[in-house]
């Protein structure tokens, strides 16, 4: 079940390929600890939503899938927020409003759309777990690099060799974009020519992709 | 509210607290829309309009929830409010222009900037919500226009292969973000 192949982890990585879930990736990766908890929260949302989308695929038409999943997701996010507030108040404060933003996460919608088209529940769960692991991988790598470069620490523990060379908090926002760009470029350099990662236009979310095609045709 | 406070909220939303380039909200939607500046500007203004209306309606709903001890359901209420507002605009678009929102529906309804704004302004009062939403909405439109302009001027032939597409877009966003830091 957890036979995650390297090509799947990288070549079909939802964040790297289609820019899904980039908002939490950029926002909560200032520290590795926040990134790990955010990845765990998003994983729970992805798996439950995918199972729901698969279970209701015959009952909900394609036109109504987005609103139905949106409302379910908002309810789940509320539950996650309440649990975090109760048991992990420090993490809840650190994450701010980004768990709420997960309610409209394109990563979750992309996975729900895919789950609704899959044959059996086992495949749905396996696909969701792979997606979550891939997402968590990129999230944590980006967070680790950002925390080391900006704060000179890792998991809250200061690194002596970074004490005098860290970028500081002033570069937080831009570093998020830069680090993610470098991670993505590294992957593209390591795996050149892989179909999902080529081209300037490959990065449209699964849910947005149809809209993008329509808009590009009008250009 | 004084004029100074109002301008601080509006200019803050456009520049200092730009939701896309400072808080990373709505970036995926922004990237996936289009490369044409005119189309990006129209989309940005449409999202801005939805932001203002959603924030105002959500303000009222959040007040009702808080009065009944249901403030914890703020996120759920915000999502429902945004959906209803988007459907309302879709209905109006169909009446006026005889065509549906089509591709713009997911761009607006699944925009984390809209939801983030509603959640953040739920307790700021009606006037505060309106001007904050106006500033953030105009900031989103501004971000759309600027980003489209930057992306349209990048010649991919001169970009290293590994950086073509997403990476160079993220770097462009980083440069815009750094430019906005100057206003802090």
């Amino acid at each position: 079940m957890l036979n995650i192949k390297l090509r799947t982890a990288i070549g079909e990585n939802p964040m790297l390929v289609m820019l899904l879930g980039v908002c939490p990736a950029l926002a909560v990766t200032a520290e590795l600890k926040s990134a790990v908890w955010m990845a765990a929260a998003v994983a729970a949302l992805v798996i439950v939503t995918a199972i729901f989308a698969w279970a209701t695929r015959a009952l909900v038409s394609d036109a109504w899938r987005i609103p139905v999943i949106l409302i379910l997701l908002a309810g789940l996010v509320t539950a996650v927020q309440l649990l975090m507030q109760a048991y992990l108040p420090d993490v809840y404060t650190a994450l701010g409003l980004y768990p709420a933003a997960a309610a409209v996460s394109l990563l979750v919608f992309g996975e729900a759309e895919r789950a609704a088209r899959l044959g059996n529940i086992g495949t749905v769960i396996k696909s969701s777990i792979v997606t979550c692991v891939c997402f968590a991988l990129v999230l944590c790598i980006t967070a680790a690099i950002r925390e080391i470069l900006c704060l000179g620490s890792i998991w809250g523990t200061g690194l002596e060799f970074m004490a005098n060379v860290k970028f500081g908090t002033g570069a937080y926002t831009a570093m998020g974009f830069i680090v993610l760009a470098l991670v993505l470029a590294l992957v593209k350099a390591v795996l050149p020519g892989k179909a999902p990662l080529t081209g300037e236009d490959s990065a449209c979310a699964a849910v947005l992709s149809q809209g993008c095609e329509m808009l590009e045709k009008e250009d | 509210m004084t004029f100074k406070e109002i301008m601080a909220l509006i200019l803050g939303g456009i520049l200092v607290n730009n939701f896309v380039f400072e808080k990373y909200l709505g970036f995926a939607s922004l990237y996936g829309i289009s490369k044409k500046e005119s189309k990006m500007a129209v989309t940005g203004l449409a999202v801005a309009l939805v932001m203002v209306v959603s924030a105002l309606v959500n303000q009222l709903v959040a007040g009702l929830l808080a009065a009944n001890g249901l403030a914890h359901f703020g996120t759920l209420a915000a999502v429902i409010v945004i959906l209803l507002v988007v459907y309302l605009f879709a209905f109006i678009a169909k009446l006026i222009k005889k065509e549906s929102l089509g591709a713009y529906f997911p761009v607006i309804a699944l925009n984390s900037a809209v939801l983030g704004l509603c959640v953040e302004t739920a307790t700021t009062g009606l006037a505060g919500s309106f001007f904050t939403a106006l500033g953030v909405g105009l900031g989103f439109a501004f971000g759309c226009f600027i980003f489209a302009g930057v992306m349209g001027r990048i010649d991919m032939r001169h970009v290293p292969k590994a950086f073509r597409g997403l990476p160079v877009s993220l770097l462009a966003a980083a440069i815009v973000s750094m430019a906005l830091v100057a206003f802090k």
Side-chain angles (χ1 to χ4, degrees):
Chain A
M1 195 176 184
L2 293 179
N3 182 20
I4 303 162
K5 296 176 184 174
L6 184 63
R7 285 179 185 277
T8 304
I10 296 175
E12 293 176 13
N13 191 297
M15 196 187 314
L16 298 183
V17 175
M18 293 185 290
L19 208 62
L20 301 176
V22 71
C23 291
L26 291 168
V28 303
T29 49
E31 289 182 354
L32 185 57
K33 211 181 274 190
S34 305
V36 168
W37 284 114
M38 188 67 180
V42 170
L45 293 173
V46 165
I47 292 169
V48 173
T49 310
I51 292 172
F52 176 82
W54 177 84
T56 58
R57 65 195 187 287
L59 301 170
V60 180
S61 68
D62 286 346
W64 284 99
R65 185 163 292 119
I66 290 180
V68 168
I69 291 178
L70 200 50
I71 292 171
L72 167 76
L73 203 45
L76 290 172
V77 162
T78 302
V80 168
Q81 281 182 299
L82 289 171
L83 285 170
M84 274 191 177
Q85 209 174 0
Y87 296 108
L88 300 164
D90 293 339
V91 175
Y92 177 76
T93 309
L95 291 179
L97 58 81
Y98 294 102
V104 290
S105 169
L106 298 172
L107 177 72
V108 184
F109 276 93
E111 192 57 31
E113 285 283 323
R114 196 194 324 188
R117 288 160 174 74
L118 289 175
N120 63 73
I121 188 69
T123 314
V124 168
I125 294 173
K126 185 178 171 184
S127 165
S128 301
I129 289 175
V130 170
T131 300
C132 295
V133 169
C134 298
F135 174 73
L137 209 64
V138 175
L139 207 66
C140 294
I141 290 171
T142 309
I145 296 172
R146 273 185 81 185
E147 188 177 355
I148 290 171
L149 290 177
C150 291
L151 297 179
S153 65
I154 190 77
W155 199 266
T157 308
L159 299 170
E160 281 186 30
F161 67 92
M162 289 298 298
N164 297 320
V165 296
K166 61 186 179 187
F167 287 100
T169 55
Y172 259 169
T173 317
M175 283 304 290
F177 289 117
I178 292 170
V179 171
L180 191 58
L182 291 174
V183 168
L184 179 56
L186 182 66
V187 170
K188 285 180 82 171
V190 166
L191 292 176
K194 287 296 291 180
L197 293 176
T198 55
E200 295 87 64
D201 303 322
S202 63
C204 281
V207 177
L208 286 178
S209 59
Q210 285 182 341
C212 288
E213 283 169 13
M214 288 167 63
L215 287 171
E216 288 298 324
K217 278 178 192 164
E218 291 171 24
D219 280 347
Chain B
M1 293 183 85
T2 63
F3 179 73
K4 198 174 169 185
E5 285 169 350
I6 291 170
M7 289 311 294
L9 283 175
I10 293 175
L11 287 176
I14 295 173
L15 299 169
V16 176
N17 294 320
N18 189 295
F19 265 37
V20 178
F21 297 107
E22 295 300 313
K23 298 188 179 184
Y24 308 113
L25 295 171
F27 182 76
S29 304
L30 188 148
Y31 181 81
I33 297 170
S34 174
K35 302 293 184 289
K36 277 181 98 174
E37 285 158 342
S38 55
K39 206 170 282 281
M40 288 282 265
V42 167
T43 309
L45 288 171
V47 172
L49 193 57
V50 170
M51 276 182 173
V52 171
V53 175
S54 301
L56 287 174
V57 174
N58 187 60
Q59 224 322 286
L60 300 169
V61 170
L64 280 170
L65 289 175
N68 291 293
L70 298 171
H72 296 298
F73 294 100
T75 304
L76 181 58
V79 165
I80 294 172
V81 164
I82 292 167
L83 262 180
L84 291 173
V85 168
V86 174
Y87 274 120
L88 175 67
F89 276 106
F91 177 69
I92 293 171
K94 195 120 191 181
L95 275 179
I96 297 173
K97 291 191 83 178
K98 307 290 183 218
E99 59 188 40
S100 66
L101 279 181
Y104 293 101
F105 178 80
V107 171
I108 300 171
L110 298 182
N111 195 317
S112 52
V114 181
L115 179 60
L117 173 71
C118 290
V119 169
E120 218 175 68
T121 59
T123 54
T124 56
L126 213 55
S129 288
F130 175 74
F131 290 112
T132 305
L134 188 63
V136 170
L138 290 174
F140 186 86
F142 170 72
C144 283
F145 186 74
I146 291 289
F147 191 66
V150 170
M151 289 307 299
R153 282 151 182 78
I154 294 176
D155 187 349
M156 288 298 171
R157 292 173 298 175
H158 301 298
V159 176
K161 214 172 175 186
F163 280 86
R164 285 179 195 168
L166 270 174
V168 74
S169 304
L170 288 167
L171 291 176
I175 292 171
V176 176
S177 174
M178 281 191 274
L180 293 178
V181 167
F183 292 98
K184 286 192 177 174

